[in-house]
Amino acid sequence: MPNISKKGVAMPLSPIRKLVPYAEKAKKEGVKVFHLNIGQPDIKTPKIALNAIKNSNLDVLKYSRSEGSETYRRKLSQYYRRNDIEIDADNIIITTGGSEALLFTFGSIMDLGDEVIIPEPFYANYNGFSIAQGVTVIPILSEIDSNFSLPSISNFEALITPKTKAILICNPGNPTGYLYSKDEIRELAILVKKHDLFLIADEVYREFTYDGLEHFSIMQQEGIESNAIIIDSVSKRYSMCGARIGCIVTRNKSVLNTALKFAQARLSPPTYGLIASEAALETPTNYFNEVINEYVKRRNILVEELNKIDGVIVAIPNGAFYCIAELPVSDTDDFAQWMLEKFRLNNQTIMVAPAAGFYSTKGLGKNQVRIAYVLNKEDLKTSVAILKAAITEYNSQC
Amino acid sequence: MPNISKKGVAMPLSPIRKLVPYAEKAKKEGVKVFHLNIGQPDIKTPKIALNAIKNSNLDVLKYSRSEGSETYRRKLSQYYRRNDIEIDADNIIITTGGSEALLFTFGSIMDLGDEVIIPEPFYANYNGFSIAQGVTVIPILSEIDSNFSLPSISNFEALITPKTKAILICNPGNPTGYLYSKDEIRELAILVKKHDLFLIADEVYREFTYDGLEHFSIMQQEGIESNAIIIDSVSKRYSMCGARIGCIVTRNKSVLNTALKFAQARLSPPTYGLIASEAALETPTNYFNEVINEYVKRRNILVEELNKIDGVIVAIPNGAFYCIAELPVSDTDDFAQWMLEKFRLNNQTIMVAPAAGFYSTKGLGKNQVRIAYVLNKEDLKTSVAILKAAITEYNSQC
């Protein structure tokens, strides 16, 4: 039998995937499982986007343009301008989700063995994309005590080698919920200019900022026109993860021309997703106001309730819809599985994402979990009550 | 300014792309351009698929499962069974088009520097995917005189090295239109077993076979259960290229488990495309009969008309909807551009795909073009008349 590839062996399994069979077993036994583990919002997709699909009148479901239609990219550039990001349609390449935007970006700027520095904990699939591309992730630790703020620039500099090609941040962060400040972005800008690196920012949670804080994009930072590359997506913005539409935004023409070659090889992004995404740009502002209000309430309840549990430390999230919590247990992989397999409160349990999968450094994050507040407020309260009772019972058994 | 990657530089431009500006200029001048260059069929998408989308009733456009839903994969396995390919839902991973199926397959079985042998001329994007993955394409020449039949097995064996991991065929072929016989598939099976290689078959044109010939899939060939991997897609079958739904089909569990890790990293295929694809499986048989009849008529007209031109040699296609024609010109890149820029017959011209882009070996295919017969019969006739007049005028100028 012919062998599979070394990188295929090295590709990580999703940190949640191994828990899925336990969750399914629990459900089969009639147990209600609250999913705090996923990034699939329960928020409704704007009607205007769904209606555009229902009213579409195609005879032939054709390829779209490899880089996305001129019309959509022009309207999208206007969306960015409304967000004080001054770019043109030509600065955008439409991709199949943020995932493909990252894939094309990595492919366009890095060869085998090149290095990308990423503050950890980070979105687990950055690992998968890196391995698939033969790129080495160099993690730099951000800490729960500072809500996972930007590590110091001197710590970054200590990690830069001749192989370093880029720094990748997620802002606001999955899994941390941290929103980088204008100052932090400026510091990063000086750093990448000094060392001639790319600065990649995954800004798919741009709209989800709380407490009056405003998102500051790397594209608003002057002086890094050749360095800055945004990864973006409609998935979270309009709660339409299934559209699979994202984009690369950059002022660097070499990157755009190169990414276009990758885009041409895969022909086109999904046509229906494009129709929905173009229509979604007309979503009324009050949609976002309502969504943000809802998330703030959820976050407040979550943080408040978690803080009531002895030994739990929560990083306060100012953005996105995740938080990292440190639990008084030694191995959250085991604990998460145990809750699904063994623990029930009124025939209910919860599924959380063990945080070790969000760290690249072995051994880190073992007492942390990522909690997505994508459930309604009542369910969130119940979920934290379950967590509290589970911690007590789990620790009493040891 | 930070540099882009070496592989980004090496990524090929689409062989047609450089002609696009000339076609656009001609159109702006009011010239009618017939597109013989593209694989986008004009055939209507089955109503049942489009209606499934119009009738969809989603509140939230969610991620689908990374490997595709159980339901769709089960129905798809029944489609394969109807085509005498005995596989289960578990043997299928749904992908974002055939493009992603190939990407995941290459990633799952090949590392940097590994080699894949491909009969040339071949689908130009195989080059792009190979470069993106750091894989080396080893071309093996198939010839117009035999309609691009399988090169001899001894020619294959001469190219096999310790780095060879796979043989890739496209059956029926783009750009050749050649349909491999049962005997040719059996010969390949013996070869891959002997040398412990994967056999990848891009079978996206499975339905498009003519003259009473039947498609014989590599999955129907016994003895290569661990070697055979099908790349498939709904794009051509149902004329829904924009759905971006394809799949990997294999009985090799290691390949499936590995490809799933790549699939998880990119989250999910497009949800609307899945809805359309699942519905399309109920397309009535007479849809295909009509489509095949139409293509046979087009092919017959095309071949008949091309054969009337002095110095033109056509490979008779038994499948897909392309043919390669050798023209009495020395450089079809120049000729194709000249037709768009300078040549008009009744204010009309044609766009063809120069064939050099379908060869990996430099210098080959320079007097050949690929013609896609995706236009109606009248337009095809007109197009060949334009070609004939263009050849005469082009050669009279030299």
Side-chain angles (χ1 to χ4, degrees):
Chain A
M1 176 149 63
N3 290 326
I4 60 168
S5 64
K6 292 189 197 84
K7 73 177 164 199
V9 173
M11 279 290 284
L13 266 172
S14 149
I16 295 155
R17 193 81 186 186
K18 56 188 162 187
L19 294 175
V20 171
Y22 300 104
E24 283 173 1
K25 189 158 175 286
K27 285 179 202 170
K28 271 189 193 146
E29 291 163 2
V31 176
K32 165 86 182 161
V33 180
F34 292 102
H35 284 273
L36 302 173
N37 58 292
I38 45 170
Q40 167 64 60
D42 62 337
I43 302 289
K44 288 191 177 162
T45 307
K47 274 280 174 217
I48 199 168
L50 298 171
N51 286 341
I53 296 293
K54 291 179 75 72
N55 299 330
S56 64
N57 228 340
L58 306 174
D59 271 341
V60 186
L61 180 52
K62 291 189 185 180
Y63 289 122
S64 52
R65 279 182 70 158
S66 298
E67 66 272 42
S69 74
E70 180 71 27
T71 331
Y72 178 47
R73 287 182 297 124
R74 200 176 55 241
K75 288 187 191 168
L76 195 54
S77 73
Q78 289 157 5
Y79 153 82
Y80 285 110
R81 286 170 182 268
R82 288 195 298 274
N83 283 273
D84 296 323
I85 298 170
E86 299 296 318
I87 55 115
D88 298 319
D90 285 351
N91 300 119
I92 303 174
I93 289 179
I94 305 302
T95 58
T96 307
S99 300
E100 195 181 67
L102 203 62
L103 185 76
F104 290 170
T105 298
F106 276 21
S108 297
I109 66 173
M110 288 189 273
D111 288 301
L112 183 93
D114 282 346
E115 294 173 355
V116 55
I117 300 175
I118 316 179
E120 65 179 351
F122 57 76
Y123 176 53
N125 287 326
Y126 294 161
N127 262 327
F129 293 121
S130 303
I131 290 167
Q133 297 282 303
V135 164
T136 307
V137 171
I138 306 295
I140 179 168
L141 188 64
S142 67
E143 303 197 62
I144 196 166
D145 303 341
S146 70
N147 291 328
F148 300 105
S149 64
L150 193 71
S152 77
I153 294 298
S154 59
N155 284 3
F156 274 101
E157 291 203 298
L159 296 173
I160 292 172
T161 76
K163 285 183 167 295
T164 310
K165 289 301 296 282
I167 292 169
L168 167 60
I169 58 169
C170 183
N171 184 31
N174 172 8
T176 64
Y178 186 77
L179 181 71
Y180 289 112
S181 70
K182 215 165 164 169
D183 280 347
E184 286 171 318
I185 299 296
R186 192 185 309 121
E187 285 177 43
L188 279 173
I190 295 167
L191 180 70
V192 296
K193 282 288 280 187
K194 179 174 166 193
H195 295 277
D196 209 18
L197 306 176
F198 287 104
L199 178 59
I200 309 167
D202 178 342
E203 299 187 353
V204 303
Y205 300 97
R206 177 178 302 109
E207 275 72 14
F208 303 94
T209 65
Y210 314 125
D211 309 323
L213 293 174
E214 273 192 27
H215 180 258
F216 186 73
S217 169
I218 60 166
M219 293 295 272
Q220 290 170 275
Q221 173 62 47
E222 287 189 6
I224 52 169
E225 289 70 18
S226 303
N227 311 73
I229 305 171
I230 291 181
I231 305 299
D232 213 337
S233 160
V234 303
S235 294
K236 314 295 174 173
R237 186 175 308 146
Y238 305 113
S239 194
M240 40 196 257
C241 300
R244 309 313 297 128
I245 296 294
C247 64
I248 296 172
V249 185
T250 180
R251 294 189 184 95
N252 183 318
K253 291 287 170 190
S254 302
V255 171
L256 286 163
N257 292 337
T258 308
L260 179 60
K261 295 196 276 182
F262 286 88
Q264 285 175 5
R266 65 70 167 116
L267 304 172
S268 96
T271 299
Y272 279 121
L274 283 168
I275 294 170
S277 299
E278 191 168 324
L281 286 169
E282 308 294 328
T283 302
T285 319
N286 67 347
Y287 171 87
F288 290 106
N289 296 342
E290 284 168 23
V291 170
I292 302 298
N293 280 339
E294 176 66 21
Y295 276 124
V296 169
K297 284 180 198 155
R298 290 177 181 188
R299 181 205 59 173
N300 292 348
I301 285 172
L302 178 69
V303 171
E304 198 179 309
E305 297 298 317
L306 283 173
N307 275 329
K308 289 180 189 165
I309 308 177
D310 273 353
V312 169
I313 299 168
V314 198
I316 313 291
N318 287 127
F321 34 70
Y322 309 95
C323 78
I324 293 273
E326 197 170 295
L327 307 184
V329 303
S330 58
D331 182 348
T332 53
D333 268 308
D334 183 72
F335 176 62
Q337 183 179 326
W338 174 84
M339 286 198 291
L340 290 169
E341 266 194 297
K342 307 268 175 72
F343 185 75
R344 313 288 181 251
L345 186 69
N346 303 324
N347 206 34
Q348 300 178 127
T349 193
I350 60 172
M351 182 164 168
V352 294
F358 301 109
Y359 287 85
S360 179
T361 306
K362 281 258 178 302
L364 290 182
K366 288 195 74 166
N367 60 349
Q368 297 175 354
V369 292
R370 183 191 72 176
I371 296 177
Y373 41 103
V374 292
L375 303 182
N376 66 53
K377 297 180 281 286
E378 265 325 294
D379 287 352
L380 269 180
K381 267 196 174 171
T382 310
S383 299
V384 181
I386 293 168
L387 179 67
K388 185 179 178 176
I391 290 172
T392 308
E393 184 167 324
Y394 183 76
N395 283 336
S396 73
Q397 295 184 323
C398 301
Chain B
M1 173 148 65
N3 290 328
I4 59 167
S5 64
K6 291 189 197 85
K7 73 177 164 199
V9 174
M11 279 290 285
L13 267 172
S14 150
I16 295 156
R17 192 82 184 186
K18 58 187 161 187
L19 294 176
V20 171
Y22 300 104
E24 283 171 1
K25 187 156 177 287
K27 284 177 202 170
K28 270 187 195 145
E29 292 163 2
V31 176
K32 164 89 182 156
V33 179
F34 292 101
H35 284 274
L36 302 174
N37 59 293
I38 45 170
Q40 167 64 61
D42 63 337
I43 301 288
K44 285 191 179 164
T45 307
K47 274 279 173 218
I48 199 167
L50 298 171
N51 286 341
I53 297 294
K54 290 181 77 71
N55 299 329
S56 64
N57 227 341
L58 305 174
D59 271 341
V60 186
L61 181 53
K62 293 190 184 178
Y63 289 123
S64 53
R65 283 183 66 159
S66 298
E67 67 272 42
S69 74
E70 180 70 27
T71 330
Y72 178 48
R73 287 181 296 123
R74 201 176 55 242
K75 287 188 192 168
L76 195 54
S77 72
Q78 288 157 4
Y79 154 81
Y80 284 111
R81 286 169 182 267
R82 289 197 296 276
N83 283 273
D84 296 323
I85 299 171
E86 299 296 318
I87 55 115
D88 298 320
D90 286 353
N91 299 119
I92 303 173
I93 289 178
I94 305 301
T95 57
T96 306
S99 301
E100 194 180 66
L102 204 63
L103 186 75
F104 291 171
T105 298
F106 276 21
S108 297
I109 67 172
M110 289 189 273
D111 288 302
L112 183 94
D114 283 345
E115 296 173 354
V116 54
I117 300 175
I118 315 180
E120 68 180 348
F122 56 78
Y123 177 52
N125 287 326
Y126 294 160
N127 262 327
F129 293 120
S130 303
I131 289 166
Q133 298 282 303
V135 164
T136 308
V137 170
I138 306 295
I140 180 169
L141 187 64
S142 67
E143 303 195 65
I144 196 167
D145 302 340
S146 69
N147 291 328
F148 300 104
S149 64
L150 192 72
S152 76
I153 293 299
S154 59
N155 284 4
F156 275 99
E157 290 203 298
L159 296 173
I160 293 172
T161 75
K163 286 184 166 295
T164 310
K165 289 301 296 284
I167 293 169
L168 167 59
I169 58 170
C170 184
N171 185 31
N174 172 7
T176 64
Y178 187 76
L179 180 71
Y180 289 113
S181 70
K182 214 164 166 173
D183 280 347
E184 286 171 316
I185 299 297
R186 193 186 307 126
E187 285 177 42
L188 280 173
I190 295 167
L191 180 72
V192 296
K193 282 289 278 186
K194 179 174 167 191
H195 294 277
D196 209 20
L197 306 175
F198 286 104
L199 178 59
I200 309 167
D202 177 342
E203 299 187 351
V204 304
Y205 299 97
R206 179 178 302 108
E207 275 73 15
F208 303 94
T209 66
Y210 313 125
D211 309 323
L213 292 174
E214 275 191 25
H215 180 259
F216 185 73
S217 168
I218 60 166
M219 293 294 272
Q220 290 171 276
Q221 173 63 46
E222 287 189 7
I224 52 170
E225 288 71 19
S226 303
N227 312 72
I229 305 171
I230 290 181
I231 305 300
D232 214 338
S233 159
V234 303
S235 294
K236 313 295 174 173
R237 188 176 308 145
Y238 306 112
S239 193
M240 39 195 260
C241 299
R244 310 312 299 131
I245 296 294
C247 64
I248 295 172
V249 185
T250 179
R251 295 191 182 93
N252 183 318
K253 290 287 169 189
S254 303
V255 171
L256 287 163
N257 291 338
T258 308
L260 179 61
K261 294 196 277 183
F262 286 88
Q264 285 175 5
R266 66 70 165 116
L267 303 172
S268 95
T271 298
Y272 279 122
L274 283 168
I275 294 171
S277 300
E278 192 169 323
L281 286 169
E282 308 293 328
T283 302
T285 318
N286 67 348
Y287 171 88
F288 289 106
N289 296 341
E290 283 167 24
V291 171
I292 302 300
N293 280 340
E294 177 66 21
Y295 277 124
V296 169
K297 284 181 199 154
R298 291 176 181 188
R299 181 206 57 174
N300 291 348
I301 284 171
L302 178 69
V303 171
E304 198 180 309
E305 296 299 315
L306 284 172
N307 273 329
K308 287 181 191 164
I309 308 176
D310 273 351
V312 169
I313 299 169
V314 199
I316 312 292
N318 288 125
F321 35 70
Y322 308 97
C323 77
I324 293 274
E326 197 170 295
L327 307 184
V329 303
S330 59
D331 182 347
T332 52
D333 267 308
D334 183 74
F335 176 63
Q337 182 179 325
W338 173 84
M339 285 198 292
L340 290 170
E341 268 194 295
K342 308 268 175 71
F343 185 76
R344 311 290 182 249
L345 186 69
N346 303 325
N347 205 33
Q348 301 178 126
T349 192
I350 60 173
M351 180 165 171
V352 294
F358 302 108
Y359 286 83
S360 180
T361 306
K362 282 255 179 304
L364 290 184
K366 289 194 72 167
N367 60 349
Q368 297 175 353
V369 292
R370 184 191 72 175
I371 296 178
Y373 41 103
V374 293
L375 303 182
N376 66 52
K377 296 179 281 287
E378 263 329 291
D379 287 352
L380 270 180
K381 264 195 176 170
T382 310
S383 298
V384 181
I386 293 168
L387 178 68
K388 184 177 178 177
I391 290 171
T392 307
E393 184 165 325
Y394 183 76
N395 283 336
S396 73
Q397 296 183 324
C398 301

